[in-house]
Amino acid sequence: QKEVEQDPGPLSVPEGAIVSLNCTYSNSAFQYFMWYRQYSRKGPELLMYTYSSGNKEDGRFTAQVDKSSKYISLFIRDSQPSDSATYLCAMRKSGNQFYFGTGTSLTVIP
Amino acid sequence: DVKVTQSSRYLVKRTGEKVFLECVQDMDHENMFWYRQDPGLGLRLIYFSYDVKMKEKGDIPEGYSVSREKKERFSLILESASTNQTSMYLCASSWNTGREAYGYTFGSGTRLTVV
């Protein structure tokens, strides 16, 4: 079993929809949680970073961490065509290495 | 902004060639990483380095080696390229633990094709 599981999609939504992206993990040692956005043929870029359970909001994006369920989510409100990308979740224990999900491909249709 | 620069965006190499992928970061990060990214498999860690001249194997080090002679530069070497090494290669850097961990900063990637 992989340490981080992410539904690969693809996910296709109309412009303006609320998007929910999710990852589950198996190791309770994970403490730091991130979401990356990767446009086609580009490197991933850090979108959201959270430490501990709860919600963190940044504009149209909300990251949610539920450590008791080992579940993290990224919500995108009022989705735009420019949000079309692959979204990767990532998490870290106490060491230096991050563990990534396989990514969810999102298309927002105008 | 931190920049991680990979020397080539696209490379085409022949089977058996020795291939060098270069990565330079400008934010004095201690840690540097090399990943490959393949459809359905996600990001897989090849090698990483915590300090100059230090290196650690990741999950798939076979067929690869690395060099870190200077803090800002981390090179990935394919000793004898094979077709199954055709992939997107991503370099990343980060602060060491003990500092607030904002995650990796990635380069734009090198798409390597081995023919």
Side-chain angles (χ1 to χ4, degrees), chain B residues 32-51:
Chain B
M32 296 189 75
F33 305 82
W34 275 106
Y35 285 86
R36 62 177 285 177
Q37 186 177 33
D38 301 287
L41 298 175
L43 285 159
R44 291 182 291 169
L45 182 63
I46 304 171
Y47 267 98
F48 58 105
S49 169
Y50 295 145
D51 201 350

PDB file of all heavy atoms in Angstrom, chain B residues 32-51:
ATOM      1  N   MET B  32      18.720  19.176  -1.626  1.00  0.00           N
ATOM      2  CA  MET B  32      18.369  19.117  -3.036  1.00  0.00           C
ATOM      3  C   MET B  32      17.973  17.691  -3.386  1.00  0.00           C
ATOM      4  O   MET B  32      18.463  16.732  -2.781  1.00  0.00           O
ATOM      5  CB  MET B  32      19.529  19.607  -3.912  1.00  0.00           C
ATOM      6  CG  MET B  32      19.861  21.079  -3.668  1.00  0.00           C
ATOM      7  SD  MET B  32      21.036  21.785  -4.822  1.00  0.00           S
ATOM      8  CE  MET B  32      20.024  21.992  -6.291  1.00  0.00           C
ATOM      9  N   PHE B  33      17.064  17.585  -4.356  1.00  0.00           N
ATOM     10  CA  PHE B  33      16.432  16.304  -4.677  1.00  0.00           C
ATOM     11  C   PHE B  33      16.338  16.139  -6.186  1.00  0.00           C
ATOM     12  O   PHE B  33      16.150  17.108  -6.916  1.00  0.00           O
ATOM     13  CB  PHE B  33      15.004  16.257  -4.109  1.00  0.00           C
ATOM     14  CG  PHE B  33      14.916  16.524  -2.624  1.00  0.00           C
ATOM     15  CD1 PHE B  33      14.910  17.827  -2.142  1.00  0.00           C
ATOM     16  CD2 PHE B  33      14.811  15.478  -1.721  1.00  0.00           C
ATOM     17  CE1 PHE B  33      14.823  18.088  -0.783  1.00  0.00           C
ATOM     18  CE2 PHE B  33      14.724  15.736  -0.356  1.00  0.00           C
ATOM     19  CZ  PHE B  33      14.733  17.033   0.117  1.00  0.00           C
ATOM     20  N   TRP B  34      16.403  14.896  -6.612  1.00  0.00           N
ATOM     21  CA  TRP B  34      16.079  14.549  -7.992  1.00  0.00           C
ATOM     22  C   TRP B  34      14.937  13.533  -7.995  1.00  0.00           C
ATOM     23  O   TRP B  34      15.013  12.512  -7.316  1.00  0.00           O
ATOM     24  CB  TRP B  34      17.263  13.939  -8.726  1.00  0.00           C
ATOM     25  CG  TRP B  34      18.182  14.949  -9.315  1.00  0.00           C
ATOM     26  CD1 TRP B  34      19.416  15.313  -8.880  1.00  0.00           C
ATOM     27  CD2 TRP B  34      17.940  15.738 -10.490  1.00  0.00           C
ATOM     28  NE1 TRP B  34      19.956  16.276  -9.692  1.00  0.00           N
ATOM     29  CE2 TRP B  34      19.067  16.555 -10.689  1.00  0.00           C
ATOM     30  CE3 TRP B  34      16.878  15.833 -11.388  1.00  0.00           C
ATOM     31  CZ2 TRP B  34      19.170  17.451 -11.753  1.00  0.00           C
ATOM     32  CZ3 TRP B  34      16.971  16.726 -12.444  1.00  0.00           C
ATOM     33  CH2 TRP B  34      18.116  17.525 -12.615  1.00  0.00           C
ATOM     34  N   TYR B  35      13.884  13.870  -8.764  1.00  0.00           N
ATOM     35  CA  TYR B  35      12.739  12.988  -8.960  1.00  0.00           C
ATOM     36  C   TYR B  35      12.591  12.706 -10.443  1.00  0.00           C
ATOM     37  O   TYR B  35      12.989  13.492 -11.297  1.00  0.00           O
ATOM     38  CB  TYR B  35      11.443  13.671  -8.497  1.00  0.00           C
ATOM     39  CG  TYR B  35      11.241  13.752  -7.012  1.00  0.00           C
ATOM     40  CD1 TYR B  35      11.786  14.805  -6.269  1.00  0.00           C
ATOM     41  CD2 TYR B  35      10.485  12.797  -6.345  1.00  0.00           C
ATOM     42  CE1 TYR B  35      11.581  14.889  -4.902  1.00  0.00           C
ATOM     43  CE2 TYR B  35      10.279  12.881  -4.974  1.00  0.00           C
ATOM     44  CZ  TYR B  35      10.833  13.924  -4.266  1.00  0.00           C
ATOM     45  OH  TYR B  35      10.624  14.011  -2.909  1.00  0.00           O
ATOM     46  N   ARG B  36      11.947  11.583 -10.741  1.00  0.00           N
ATOM     47  CA  ARG B  36      11.420  11.394 -12.084  1.00  0.00           C
ATOM     48  C   ARG B  36       9.903  11.266 -11.963  1.00  0.00           C
ATOM     49  O   ARG B  36       9.383  10.784 -10.935  1.00  0.00           O
ATOM     50  CB  ARG B  36      12.033  10.201 -12.810  1.00  0.00           C
ATOM     51  CG  ARG B  36      11.824   8.866 -12.203  1.00  0.00           C
ATOM     52  CD  ARG B  36      12.426   7.751 -13.082  1.00  0.00           C
ATOM     53  NE  ARG B  36      11.636   7.466 -14.255  1.00  0.00           N
ATOM     54  CZ  ARG B  36      11.987   6.571 -15.190  1.00  0.00           C
ATOM     55  NH1 ARG B  36      13.123   5.893 -15.084  1.00  0.00           N
ATOM     56  NH2 ARG B  36      11.210   6.353 -16.234  1.00  0.00           N
ATOM     57  N   GLN B  37       9.219  11.735 -12.999  1.00  0.00           N
ATOM     58  CA  GLN B  37       7.758  11.759 -12.985  1.00  0.00           C
ATOM     59  C   GLN B  37       7.255  11.037 -14.216  1.00  0.00           C
ATOM     60  O   GLN B  37       7.586  11.413 -15.347  1.00  0.00           O
ATOM     61  CB  GLN B  37       7.243  13.195 -12.952  1.00  0.00           C
ATOM     62  CG  GLN B  37       5.741  13.305 -12.787  1.00  0.00           C
ATOM     63  CD  GLN B  37       5.277  14.741 -12.684  1.00  0.00           C
ATOM     64  OE1 GLN B  37       5.850  15.641 -13.292  1.00  0.00           O
ATOM     65  NE2 GLN B  37       4.231  14.987 -11.906  1.00  0.00           N
ATOM     66  N   ASP B  38       6.459  10.008 -13.998  1.00  0.00           N
ATOM     67  CA  ASP B  38       5.906   9.215 -15.083  1.00  0.00           C
ATOM     68  C   ASP B  38       4.400   9.084 -14.903  1.00  0.00           C
ATOM     69  O   ASP B  38       3.917   8.973 -13.768  1.00  0.00           O
ATOM     70  CB  ASP B  38       6.551   7.817 -15.094  1.00  0.00           C
ATOM     71  CG  ASP B  38       8.059   7.883 -15.272  1.00  0.00           C
ATOM     72  OD1 ASP B  38       8.479   8.190 -16.400  1.00  0.00           O
ATOM     73  OD2 ASP B  38       8.791   7.658 -14.294  1.00  0.00           O
ATOM     74  N   PRO B  39       3.644   9.072 -16.003  1.00  0.00           N
ATOM     75  CA  PRO B  39       2.180   8.966 -15.905  1.00  0.00           C
ATOM     76  C   PRO B  39       1.770   7.737 -15.104  1.00  0.00           C
ATOM     77  O   PRO B  39       2.280   6.637 -15.323  1.00  0.00           O
ATOM     78  CB  PRO B  39       1.750   8.847 -17.369  1.00  0.00           C
ATOM     79  CG  PRO B  39       2.853   9.482 -18.142  1.00  0.00           C
ATOM     80  CD  PRO B  39       4.113   9.179 -17.385  1.00  0.00           C
ATOM     81  N   GLY B  40       0.856   7.935 -14.171  1.00  0.00           N
ATOM     82  CA  GLY B  40       0.348   6.840 -13.363  1.00  0.00           C
ATOM     83  C   GLY B  40       1.237   6.437 -12.197  1.00  0.00           C
ATOM     84  O   GLY B  40       0.796   5.744 -11.286  1.00  0.00           O
ATOM     85  N   LEU B  41       2.480   6.862 -12.230  1.00  0.00           N
ATOM     86  CA  LEU B  41       3.417   6.512 -11.153  1.00  0.00           C
ATOM     87  C   LEU B  41       3.736   7.697 -10.259  1.00  0.00           C
ATOM     88  O   LEU B  41       4.284   7.535  -9.167  1.00  0.00           O
ATOM     89  CB  LEU B  41       4.715   5.947 -11.730  1.00  0.00           C
ATOM     90  CG  LEU B  41       4.578   4.656 -12.528  1.00  0.00           C
ATOM     91  CD1 LEU B  41       5.905   4.274 -13.145  1.00  0.00           C
ATOM     92  CD2 LEU B  41       4.050   3.522 -11.652  1.00  0.00           C
ATOM     93  N   GLY B  42       3.449   8.884 -10.713  1.00  0.00           N
ATOM     94  CA  GLY B  42       3.702  10.065  -9.909  1.00  0.00           C
ATOM     95  C   GLY B  42       5.180  10.383  -9.816  1.00  0.00           C
ATOM     96  O   GLY B  42       5.980  10.009 -10.675  1.00  0.00           O
ATOM     97  N   LEU B  43       5.541  11.064  -8.749  1.00  0.00           N
ATOM     98  CA  LEU B  43       6.924  11.464  -8.510  1.00  0.00           C
ATOM     99  C   LEU B  43       7.650  10.375  -7.728  1.00  0.00           C
ATOM    100  O   LEU B  43       7.182   9.944  -6.678  1.00  0.00           O
ATOM    101  CB  LEU B  43       6.942  12.759  -7.693  1.00  0.00           C
ATOM    102  CG  LEU B  43       6.591  14.038  -8.444  1.00  0.00           C
ATOM    103  CD1 LEU B  43       6.134  15.122  -7.488  1.00  0.00           C
ATOM    104  CD2 LEU B  43       7.778  14.521  -9.245  1.00  0.00           C
ATOM    105  N   ARG B  44       8.775   9.960  -8.257  1.00  0.00           N
ATOM    106  CA  ARG B  44       9.574   8.956  -7.557  1.00  0.00           C
ATOM    107  C   ARG B  44      10.964   9.522  -7.286  1.00  0.00           C
ATOM    108  O   ARG B  44      11.617  10.044  -8.189  1.00  0.00           O
ATOM    109  CB  ARG B  44       9.669   7.673  -8.386  1.00  0.00           C
ATOM    110  CG  ARG B  44       8.334   6.927  -8.494  1.00  0.00           C
ATOM    111  CD  ARG B  44       8.481   5.643  -9.281  1.00  0.00           C
ATOM    112  NE  ARG B  44       8.738   5.882 -10.692  1.00  0.00           N
ATOM    113  CZ  ARG B  44       9.117   4.948 -11.555  1.00  0.00           C
ATOM    114  NH1 ARG B  44       9.312   3.713 -11.129  1.00  0.00           N
ATOM    115  NH2 ARG B  44       9.317   5.263 -12.815  1.00  0.00           N
ATOM    116  N   LEU B  45      11.392   9.391  -6.040  1.00  0.00           N
ATOM    117  CA  LEU B  45      12.654   9.977  -5.610  1.00  0.00           C
ATOM    118  C   LEU B  45      13.827   9.116  -6.056  1.00  0.00           C
ATOM    119  O   LEU B  45      13.879   7.924  -5.765  1.00  0.00           O
ATOM    120  CB  LEU B  45      12.651  10.135  -4.089  1.00  0.00           C
ATOM    121  CG  LEU B  45      13.884  10.778  -3.465  1.00  0.00           C
ATOM    122  CD1 LEU B  45      14.067  12.211  -3.946  1.00  0.00           C
ATOM    123  CD2 LEU B  45      13.773  10.739  -1.948  1.00  0.00           C
ATOM    124  N   ILE B  46      14.793   9.753  -6.721  1.00  0.00           N
ATOM    125  CA  ILE B  46      15.960   9.029  -7.226  1.00  0.00           C
ATOM    126  C   ILE B  46      17.121   9.149  -6.210  1.00  0.00           C
ATOM    127  O   ILE B  46      17.636   8.157  -5.722  1.00  0.00           O
ATOM    128  CB  ILE B  46      16.401   9.582  -8.591  1.00  0.00           C
ATOM    129  CG1 ILE B  46      15.253   9.540  -9.590  1.00  0.00           C
ATOM    130  CG2 ILE B  46      17.596   8.790  -9.136  1.00  0.00           C
ATOM    131  CD1 ILE B  46      15.538  10.270 -10.899  1.00  0.00           C
ATOM    132  N   TYR B  47      17.508  10.372  -5.938  1.00  0.00           N
ATOM    133  CA  TYR B  47      18.574  10.672  -4.983  1.00  0.00           C
ATOM    134  C   TYR B  47      18.276  11.996  -4.313  1.00  0.00           C
ATOM    135  O   TYR B  47      17.578  12.840  -4.862  1.00  0.00           O
ATOM    136  CB  TYR B  47      19.927  10.804  -5.698  1.00  0.00           C
ATOM    137  CG  TYR B  47      20.761   9.553  -5.783  1.00  0.00           C
ATOM    138  CD1 TYR B  47      20.736   8.778  -6.940  1.00  0.00           C
ATOM    139  CD2 TYR B  47      21.592   9.167  -4.735  1.00  0.00           C
ATOM    140  CE1 TYR B  47      21.514   7.626  -7.036  1.00  0.00           C
ATOM    141  CE2 TYR B  47      22.369   8.020  -4.829  1.00  0.00           C
ATOM    142  CZ  TYR B  47      22.322   7.254  -5.983  1.00  0.00           C
ATOM    143  OH  TYR B  47      23.093   6.121  -6.074  1.00  0.00           O
ATOM    144  N   PHE B  48      18.848  12.186  -3.134  1.00  0.00           N
ATOM    145  CA  PHE B  48      18.794  13.498  -2.509  1.00  0.00           C
ATOM    146  C   PHE B  48      20.082  13.780  -1.760  1.00  0.00           C
ATOM    147  O   PHE B  48      20.900  12.879  -1.539  1.00  0.00           O
ATOM    148  CB  PHE B  48      17.560  13.660  -1.620  1.00  0.00           C
ATOM    149  CG  PHE B  48      17.427  12.649  -0.517  1.00  0.00           C
ATOM    150  CD1 PHE B  48      17.700  12.986   0.794  1.00  0.00           C
ATOM    151  CD2 PHE B  48      16.963  11.361  -0.783  1.00  0.00           C
ATOM    152  CE1 PHE B  48      17.542  12.067   1.807  1.00  0.00           C
ATOM    153  CE2 PHE B  48      16.807  10.431   0.230  1.00  0.00           C
ATOM    154  CZ  PHE B  48      17.094  10.783   1.524  1.00  0.00           C
ATOM    155  N   SER B  49      20.243  15.037  -1.387  1.00  0.00           N
ATOM    156  CA  SER B  49      21.482  15.468  -0.753  1.00  0.00           C
ATOM    157  C   SER B  49      21.157  16.496   0.322  1.00  0.00           C
ATOM    158  O   SER B  49      20.405  17.441   0.087  1.00  0.00           O
ATOM    159  CB  SER B  49      22.415  16.088  -1.802  1.00  0.00           C
ATOM    160  OG  SER B  49      23.507  16.739  -1.181  1.00  0.00           O
ATOM    161  N   TYR B  50      21.744  16.305   1.507  1.00  0.00           N
ATOM    162  CA  TYR B  50      21.520  17.237   2.604  1.00  0.00           C
ATOM    163  C   TYR B  50      22.608  18.300   2.691  1.00  0.00           C
ATOM    164  O   TYR B  50      22.451  19.294   3.408  1.00  0.00           O
ATOM    165  CB  TYR B  50      21.483  16.504   3.947  1.00  0.00           C
ATOM    166  CG  TYR B  50      20.328  15.550   4.107  1.00  0.00           C
ATOM    167  CD1 TYR B  50      20.479  14.377   4.817  1.00  0.00           C
ATOM    168  CD2 TYR B  50      19.088  15.822   3.560  1.00  0.00           C
ATOM    169  CE1 TYR B  50      19.433  13.498   4.981  1.00  0.00           C
ATOM    170  CE2 TYR B  50      18.034  14.954   3.706  1.00  0.00           C
ATOM    171  CZ  TYR B  50      18.209  13.784   4.419  1.00  0.00           C
ATOM    172  OH  TYR B  50      17.165  12.924   4.583  1.00  0.00           O
ATOM    173  N   ASP B  51      23.710  18.051   2.020  1.00  0.00           N
ATOM    174  CA  ASP B  51      24.838  18.973   2.174  1.00  0.00           C
ATOM    175  C   ASP B  51      25.823  18.696   1.046  1.00  0.00           C
ATOM    176  O   ASP B  51      25.733  17.668   0.359  1.00  0.00           O
ATOM    177  CB  ASP B  51      25.493  18.771   3.539  1.00  0.00           C
ATOM    178  CG  ASP B  51      26.300  19.975   3.987  1.00  0.00           C
ATOM    179  OD1 ASP B  51      26.514  20.902   3.177  1.00  0.00           O
ATOM    180  OD2 ASP B  51      26.735  19.986   5.155  1.00  0.00           O
TER     181      ASP B  51
END
